[in-house]
Amino acid sequence: MRILLDVTRTLVRRYNSTPTGIDRVEHALIRWLLHGGSSRYPDAGFVVTTPYLRAVLSRKDMFPVLTEIEGRWAAASQPERKTALYRKLRLSLEGSIEADRVSPGALRIEGERNTQRKLRAYADIAQLALLRAGQFRRALSDSERVPTLYMHSSHTQLEQTHLFSWTKRGQVRVAFFIHDLIPIDFPEFCGNTAAQTHRRRMRTVSEYGSCIVVNSQYTKDRVIEHFKRENIPLKNTGVSHLGNVIQEYSRGALEPPTAKVPYFVFLSTIEGRKNITHLFNVWRQIIHHYGYGAAPRLVIVGKRGWKCENVIDVLDRTRELAPCLVEVSGLTDIELASLMAGATGILSPSLVEGYSLPPIEGAKRHIPVIASDIAVHREILGDAAILLDPTDGPGWREAIMKLVHDPDFRNERVAATFDLPRISWDDFAADALSQAVELSSGEHIYAEGR
């Protein structure tokens, strides 16, 4: 079986300083095909899709691209590269709470603008497409005699159904990795056209897909329900949980804040479905019950996203929460690891997720996690986290303050994190591709998966 992995998203985002969760999935598959899986799939190719041309990069072509991207991430995470932004954050967390503070702390770093990065990336893609279009034509011709699987592991371009019509011309099986159906199931949390766009993506999956692989049983259940509701033919579907082994740094490399006041970290893009307003209300309760002198800090880490106007209003203008609230974006991986190492706990109150990497990252660093009691958190975290109803203000307040004041309880919660099963990103990549190969060859319409 020859694997053709779509890497368009990776190339579009190649100049970004840090990866998103979806980026990590595609990178894991690339890395495994270039390294650990090279003996199993020695002639793997890497597809780049543009509106007018497609190209296939060879392993030789892809190696320097991946090396460059990972080198940029690694350079940003060297201990000596901690930024002025992180130094300011440490300084703010190492001070006392100022009850008379009238505006929240907001720390951001402005790098190269996103549009500038994309223009550079698009220029690279156009050049690669022109240089390697011939390799795509040869790969498509070879698919007549060599069993070929094309795998698309992000949602990039799926709404442009016509871009995938080439898979019908050769004997190409197609596997799609679906991350979530949130825009369809919960359109109120997404952009105004997101639901329509995601429906088009699912039609592409239905029309051209031989099988589907998803990141959780919850996502699988939602995909199946959507296909049934829309009367779309079901596909063989498997579940492959994402990697939860994160990069470890030596203790000497980390510089956690020596915080006078305990702090909790929320980590994610700031969106409506993340339920950050709930955390604000919990902190209001804490301040009301305990006062500023006993209240912990809340550190919001992430870029501002969409459908979160009320959250932004609080971040920009609150007086009540200002003494306890810090917002930061632009941290490198090592800075984030340092921040988390000093935290009393990680908070993930989301109303819905397809997967959920931040609480997994916290738990794998053996930091107590409080997360919303939703299906995917029960599936991937289990007893490794304190799971609470995402609207239970008193319950969250009690758990947060117990982590602050009860060392035995905190030690119990730290110990619970050691029970998480270990899944490396290589394990994930090998499993996802193996399932894609197996399920794409099935003749039945629907499989329960794993």
Side-chain angles (χ1 to χ4, degrees):
M1 175 68 68
R2 183 184 192 191
I3 301 292
L4 295 178
L5 176 68
D6 197 293
V7 296
T8 306
R9 180 185 175 95
T10 292
L11 292 181
V12 168
R13 299 172 61 83
R14 70 184 293 181
Y15 296 112
N16 288 20
S17 57
T18 55
T20 66
I22 294 179
D23 294 339
R24 291 182 192 277
V25 168
E26 193 163 289
H27 278 271
L29 294 167
I30 296 170
R31 190 181 307 110
W32 188 78
L33 286 171
L34 290 178
H35 298 286
S38 59
S39 59
R40 191 181 305 181
Y41 304 111
D43 57 348
F46 303 89
V47 177
V48 183
T49 303
T50 75
Y52 304 105
L53 280 176
R54 272 158 293 280
V56 167
L57 308 185
S58 66
R59 291 165 50 83
K60 183 179 179 181
D61 296 324
M62 197 67 210
F63 261 117
V65 176
L66 184 68
T67 301
E68 171 209 307
I69 293 170
E70 294 190 332
R72 187 179 302 113
W73 296 347
S77 290
Q78 292 300 311
E80 66 274 12
R81 288 287 299 274
K82 292 191 179 72
T83 62
L85 174 74
Y86 183 69
R87 291 194 291 272
K88 289 179 183 178
L89 176 62
R90 279 191 64 192
L91 187 63
S92 69
L93 294 179
E94 290 174 351
S96 301
I97 282 183
E98 302 169 7
D100 58 350
R101 184 169 185 158
V102 297
S103 61
L107 300 167
R108 302 185 187 92
I109 188 168
E110 295 294 337
E112 184 180 26
R113 291 186 180 275
N114 190 47
T115 52
Q116 292 174 309
R117 292 196 298 265
K118 282 190 174 181
L119 285 174
R120 292 171 63 196
Y122 288 148
D124 291 346
I125 289 170
Q127 184 178 28
L128 284 170
L130 288 170
L131 290 174
R132 298 293 182 260
Q135 290 184 179
F136 172 79
R137 290 191 293 271
R138 285 191 292 275
L140 193 57
S141 176
D142 288 346
S143 70
E144 298 288 348
R145 58 182 180 80
V146 179
T148 299
L149 174 73
Y150 166 69
M151 187 163 187
H152 189 287
S153 63
S154 73
H155 296 163
T156 301
Q157 299 176 322
L158 287 188
E159 66 276 14
Q160 302 178 59
T161 303
H162 66 281
L163 293 181
F164 300 88
S165 61
W166 63 270
T167 61
K168 298 285 190 181
R169 297 202 297 271
Q171 300 298 315
V172 179
R173 303 172 191 172
V174 182
F176 290 104
F177 193 98
I178 304 301
H179 295 264
D180 62 66
L181 256 71
I182 291 171
I184 294 172
D185 289 340
F186 300 92
E188 66 271 29
F189 295 141
C190 305
N192 294 336
T193 63
Q196 180 181 356
T197 297
H198 216 58
R199 284 193 176 90
R200 289 201 299 270
R201 290 169 178 161
M202 292 306 104
R203 285 197 289 271
T204 300
V205 170
S206 175
E207 182 172 352
Y208 295 107
S210 307
C211 71
I212 300 170
V213 183
V214 297
N215 52 11
S216 66
Q217 182 64 41
Y218 172 75
T219 299
K220 177 179 174 178
D221 292 343
R222 298 316 308 149
V223 168
I224 291 171
E225 175 61 27
H226 172 72
F227 276 38
K228 288 180 177 177
R229 186 173 61 245
E230 298 293 320
N231 199 27
I232 299 173
L234 295 171
K235 301 291 180 180
N236 295 335
T237 305
V239 176
S240 189
H241 285 161
L242 306 187
N244 61 20
V245 175
I246 56 176
Q247 183 173 356
E248 296 294 342
Y249 301 98
S250 68
R251 184 170 298 180
L254 299 180
E255 296 180 17
T258 308
K260 293 182 179 179
V261 177
Y263 65 88
F264 289 79
V265 172
F266 165 89
L267 167 62
S268 184
T269 300
I270 298 171
E271 305 174 32
R273 68 185 173 91
K274 301 297 183 176
N275 200 24
I276 304 172
T277 299
H278 171 69
L279 292 182
F280 293 158
N281 291 334
V282 168
W283 248 258
R284 290 188 178 98
Q285 292 182 28
I286 289 172
I287 292 166
H288 176 75
H289 281 78
Y290 299 94
Y292 290 112
R297 280 190 170 98
L298 173 60
V299 184
I300 305 292
V301 183
K303 295 180 180 179
R304 295 183 177 190
W306 45 90
K307 298 295 182 179
C308 58
E309 292 80 5
N310 291 342
V311 174
I312 291 174
D313 284 342
V314 174
L315 291 173
D316 285 343
R317 297 191 287 153
T318 181
R319 292 174 62 94
E320 181 184 20
L321 300 181
C324 302
L325 184 59
V326 178
E327 178 194 6
V328 61
S329 64
L331 296 179
T332 66
D333 282 353
I334 195 170
E335 290 168 346
L336 181 57
S338 295
L339 176 67
M340 294 173 75
T344 301
I346 306 298
L347 306 177
S348 295
S350 296
L351 295 170
V352 61
E353 295 283 355
Y355 199 73
S356 201
L357 281 174
I360 284 285
E361 183 164 358
K364 292 305 289 185
R365 294 192 186 281
H366 307 306
I367 304 164
V369 174
I370 307 176
S372 52
D373 188 6
I374 58 177
V376 76
H377 284 164
R378 291 192 292 272
E379 177 182 346
I380 66 174
L381 289 166
D383 294 333
I386 303 168
L387 299 181
L388 298 172
D389 187 294
T391 64
D392 179 9
W396 281 73
R397 181 192 74 216
E398 180 181 347
I400 287 167
M401 297 309 292
K402 199 170 181 182
L403 284 174
V404 170
H405 293 298
D406 188 338
D408 290 338
F409 177 69
R410 176 175 168 78
N411 289 337
E412 289 174 8
R413 297 318 310 166
V414 170
T417 64
F418 285 88
D419 293 333
L420 272 179
R422 184 184 189 279
I423 307 172
S424 73
W425 281 100
D426 279 353
D427 292 337
F428 155 75
D431 181 66
L433 284 165
S434 177
Q435 289 201 56
V437 170
E438 180 182 339
L439 293 171
S440 67
S441 64
E443 295 181 357
H444 53 295
I445 291 179
Y446 169 64
E448 283 297 328
R450 302 180 181 182

